[in-house]
Amino acid sequence: MQDADRPETPPAILLPQQPDRKRPQLNRQTAQTASDSTASTNDIFTNMDTTDIDGNKMDSSIFAKNKVTLVNVWNVGCTPCVNEIPDLDKINSEYKDKGAAVYGLYGDLGMGISDDEMAQIKDIMSNANASYTQLRMDGTLATNESLLNIMAYPTTYVVGSDGTILDTIEGSKDYEGWKALIDSYLAE
């Protein structure tokens, strides 16, 4: 979608602080990984264990395939998030053989995705003709305090091949903005 075609929206949706938010019930496996997953913001993805929205297991090995990966945390209620999906899909397609990739991470704040939200996610992706993988905030991601306390949607992590976070961006970008960012990391 070209910038001229986009409605005027703020670049990010700020989330209210939610200190009394109920945390999800943790099973034994999740509870055992909780202390590891809350260690550091930079370590969110180094030992990632999660699934995509179709239930396929995903882990930190997805980052080893590329020099740089964008992990875009978004939510269906975030207009800037939804507006940038076609641009992120275009970036993912154009850079898949050049050392970069894009993954979406649905920001459910560790509460799980309802059936209604899942239908909305799939509708949004279908309407945008977007095919890049959408991760769920489960497994180690469901207990990571940095992810659970994101202050704005979208938040995008620039992740290196070893899973470490190279940069964090709050707010949306257009195609040219994402392209310039990826090109700068690929040139390093």
Side-chain angles (χ1 to χ4, degrees), residues 162-183:
D162 62 354
T164 58
I165 295 172
L166 307 174
D167 197 2
T168 303
I169 297 135
E170 287 185 346
S172 62
K173 291 185 180 292
D174 62 8
Y175 170 80
E176 292 300 326
W178 288 123
K179 183 178 183 322
L181 179 80
I182 288 177
D183 286 343

Side-chain angles (χ1 to χ4, degrees), residues 23-97:
R23 298 287 188 216
Q25 290 279 339
L26 301 179
N27 62 35
R28 282 188 195 168
Q29 180 181 4
T30 304
Q32 289 171 345
T33 61
S35 61
D36 294 336
S37 63
T38 58
S40 159
T41 299
N42 198 43
D43 295 334
I44 293 171
F45 302 109
T46 55
N47 294 306
M48 181 182 78
D49 176 29
T50 191
T51 59
D52 66 15
I53 62 169
D54 296 317
N56 301 306
K57 289 190 175 281
M58 306 293 283
D59 61 32
S60 55
S61 68
I62 64 172
F63 303 112
K65 301 172 187 174
N66 296 291
K67 183 173 182 180
V68 64
T69 301
L70 299 181
V71 178
N72 178 259
V73 186
W74 69 287
N75 190 282
V76 295
C78 168
T79 301
C81 300
V82 173
N83 286 345
E84 72 178 351
I85 287 173
D87 291 335
L88 290 169
D89 190 65
K90 184 176 179 182
I91 290 290
N92 189 58
S93 296
E94 289 181 7
Y95 282 85
K96 67 181 175 184
D97 296 324

Side-chain angles (χ1 to χ4, degrees), residues 35 141 151:
S35 61
L141 301 182
M151 298 303 294

